Amino acid sequence: MSTTDLSHQLRTELIAVETLYRAFSEQNPDLVDAVLAPEWDDIPLAPGQGPGPAGIKPIIRMVAAAFPDVHITIHDTIQEPGKVGVRAEISGTHLGELFGIAPTGKKVNFRLHEFHTVANGLVTTTWHMEDWFGLFLQLGQFPPQG
């Protein structure tokens, strides 16, 4: 593979991953259709989340409803062909219900770390970890148990 081909591949893969985050920040779930493989595996699935690109769309809508000004800031990426690691931060104002927690009006930010595999320009797998504990501490409460 030539240096030009490799550079193009890396750029294409990074754009695919960045577009996934833009779907949240721009509150446009349909953006994922162009960048997630039909068999995309999101690990772990959120409670009630269905598989594939269709499964993430209700999550994007839920986050947008809870944080109408949601924004994901990418702080770092580490990349090799077919893999992209991301350190990011989600910020917003809690103005809608989230996991049974009534709106608090609090401005929050919490960390996100993800590793994506990419093939043929499409994200095929995402392993993710959000700092939900840190978010709930900022909100001053945890979701109801039971």
Side-chain angles (χ1 to χ4, degrees):
M1 178 181 286
S2 75
T3 303
T4 302
D5 290 341
L6 178 59
S7 178
H8 177 73
Q9 177 185 346
L10 292 173
R11 185 73 192 130
T12 299
E13 292 175 355
L14 185 59
I15 288 171
V17 169
E18 289 172 338
T19 301
L20 173 58
Y21 298 117
R22 280 185 34 235
F24 282 87
S25 292
E26 296 177 13
Q27 300 181 23
N28 183 355
D30 293 335
L31 286 177
V32 303
D33 293 333
V35 297
L36 297 181
E39 70 283 355
W40 175 65
D41 195 9
D42 192 23
I43 303 169
L45 290 174
Q49 180 181 350
I56 194 68
K57 290 181 180 186
I59 304 298
I60 294 169
R61 290 184 194 100
M62 177 195 72
V63 170
F67 304 99
D69 58 348
V70 65
H71 185 75
I72 298 179
T73 302
I74 297 173
H75 293 297
D76 283 310
T77 58
I78 300 172
Q79 189 173 9
E80 66 178 54
K83 294 182 180 179
V84 181
V86 177
R87 181 179 69 85
E89 189 169 32
I90 303 170
S91 60
T93 308
H94 184 220
L95 299 176
E97 183 180 309
L98 179 71
F99 303 125
I101 300 173
T104 63
K106 294 180 179 178
K107 290 190 178 298
V108 297
N109 56 357
F110 58 105
R111 294 177 188 90
L112 167 71
H113 296 92
E114 296 189 332
F115 292 92
H116 306 273
T117 57
V118 187
N120 302 315
L122 298 175
V123 180
T124 58
T125 305
T126 299
W127 291 270
H128 58 94
M129 183 179 294
E130 298 84 10
D131 182 12
W132 294 114
F133 183 76
L135 170 64
F136 299 142
L137 286 177
Q138 290 175 65
L139 295 177
Q141 56 189 303
F142 289 82
Q145 303 299 307

